[in-house]
Amino acid sequence: APTAGVPLRRGERTAGPAVAWGRLFLRSLAPITVHGLAGLMMALLWRSPYGPVAALLVLLPMGVSWWAFAQYHRERAAHQATIRALVQAVDIKDGYTRGHSERVGQASMMIARELGMDDERVEVLRFAGILHDVGKLGVPTRLLTKDGPLTPEERRVIELHPEYGHEMVRGISFLGEAREAVLHHHERLDGTGYPYGLAGSQIPESARVVAVADAFDAMTSTRSYSRARPVPVALKELQRCAGSHFDPRMVAALVHVIGRAGWHPAVTADDARAVPAPAAPVTDRPGAHR
């Protein structure tokens, strides 16, 4: 159901299957047109006074085009392998949150699409969600898996992970604005977040998307210090904190898309390892996860 009090701005919601098919058609239009024209040119040259040799010259630019296309796909596969390796390292280090990165990437992608972002930016937002916690590789495992609340000193160490993560990915050029999301996904709209206490529009849009996706999955997944909440409870908590902790646009987008497409959260911890009760209520510190 639509979110009361936090409507999306005009043009920010996708129109459903028609838009998806339209985008697919537009992406396919250019290569189909180019290949069709090349085929027509070959046919005309073949029947021209210059003969088959001239027609074969058309194959040269087509070969170059094929090579460039293959290079693009190899580069994309390398990008995916890089991200997969980083995420696997985080999952191995913190078994309680295994799968969390992929789910945050999925939720970030859903929000971005609901806001009407183009496909290239949606992909970047997916990368941002997947890599948002990569800085936890620099945090001691005992803090990530500690049962119960953290001490102030332990929390200060945990709160360094966005900066660690940014340092780790800053040289990966294809990530684009995803690097900003890694650094700022724990900032809050009212300026009480970390690491720099940015407020409002000072927080990059990519980070505001990932912040909502991250908090949502944290609340709907079992951790070493809290049990999973039902999806409606988590969405209601996000709505309660929209405008103070989270961008209302991002919250509204997530509520709309989950209401339409649904969400099936996975419990990331084994039942035997889960704690019987949460260390602190979610309503005390929404999004205050490790």
Side-chain angles (χ1 to χ4, degrees):
T3 308
V6 282
L8 293 173
R9 295 177 184 174
R10 182 177 299 176
E12 287 179 342
R13 295 184 61 186
T14 53
V19 173
W21 279 106
R23 288 176 176 174
L24 180 62
F25 172 75
L26 290 176
R27 286 200 302 271
S28 305
L29 189 59
I32 290 174
T33 303
V34 169
H35 284 85
L37 290 174
L40 178 61
M41 188 181 299
M42 285 186 67
L44 292 174
L45 288 173
W46 194 280
R47 297 176 61 86
S48 73
Y50 301 102
V53 175
L56 291 176
L57 292 177
V58 179
L59 293 177
L60 180 61
M62 290 187 67
V64 172
S65 174
W66 174 85
W67 177 84
F69 191 69
Q71 287 292 105
Y72 165 78
H73 277 277
R74 279 194 288 269
E75 184 177 346
R76 184 178 177 84
H79 294 170
Q80 297 284 358
T82 300
I83 292 173
R84 192 159 51 245
L86 290 170
V87 171
Q88 286 176 347
V90 176
D91 285 349
I92 290 170
K93 185 178 181 70
D94 186 2
Y96 276 110
T97 58
R98 186 168 289 115
H100 170 66
S101 297
E102 287 84 355
R103 291 193 302 275
V104 174
Q106 177 68 21
S108 298
M109 183 171 65
M110 291 167 70
I111 293 171
R113 282 179 174 162
E114 186 71 11
L115 293 175
M117 296 182 184
D118 61 66
D119 290 342
E120 183 177 347
R121 198 165 181 218
V122 167
E123 182 76 350
V124 170
L125 265 293
R126 186 175 74 88
F127 288 158
I130 290 174
L131 291 174
H132 75 286
D133 270 348
V134 69
K136 287 184 176 180
L137 291 172
V139 176
T141 305
R142 63 179 177 81
L143 299 185
L144 297 176
T145 58
K146 179 181 178 181
D147 293 339
L150 300 169
T151 66
E153 180 59 33
E154 289 172 336
R155 181 159 292 282
R156 279 193 291 272
V157 174
I158 288 278
E159 290 178 354
L160 290 173
H161 81 267
E163 295 175 279
Y164 291 157
H166 184 254
E167 285 300 311
M168 293 174 67
V169 302
R170 66 186 304 178
I172 306 178
S173 59
F174 71 85
L175 290 178
E177 64 175 327
R179 290 170 291 186
E180 295 181 332
V182 171
L183 179 60
H184 296 297
H185 69 278
H186 278 297
E187 304 284 4
R188 294 177 174 175
L189 231 59
D190 60 7
T192 61
Y194 64 89
Y196 301 131
L198 302 184
S201 60
Q202 292 178 321
I203 305 170
E205 187 176 43
S206 59
R208 284 178 269 148
V209 169
V210 173
V212 172
D214 185 26
F216 172 71
D217 187 70
M219 286 190 283
T220 54
S221 302
T222 293
R223 303 296 184 90
S224 61
Y225 50 89
S226 66
R227 280 188 173 178
R229 268 63 174 179
V231 169
V233 173
L235 293 177
K236 186 175 181 179
E237 181 64 15
L238 289 174
Q239 289 174 297
R240 185 182 74 83
C241 299
S244 58
H245 292 65
F246 307 113
D247 188 324
R249 293 171 54 226
M250 313 313 175
V251 173
L254 183 64
V255 172
H256 278 291
V257 72
I258 288 179
R260 185 172 65 250
W263 179 263
H264 307 285
V267 176
T268 56
D270 297 330
D271 290 340
R273 296 177 64 190
V275 253
V282 176
T283 51
D284 289 345
R285 285 177 60 83
H289 47 278
R290 302 173 197 172

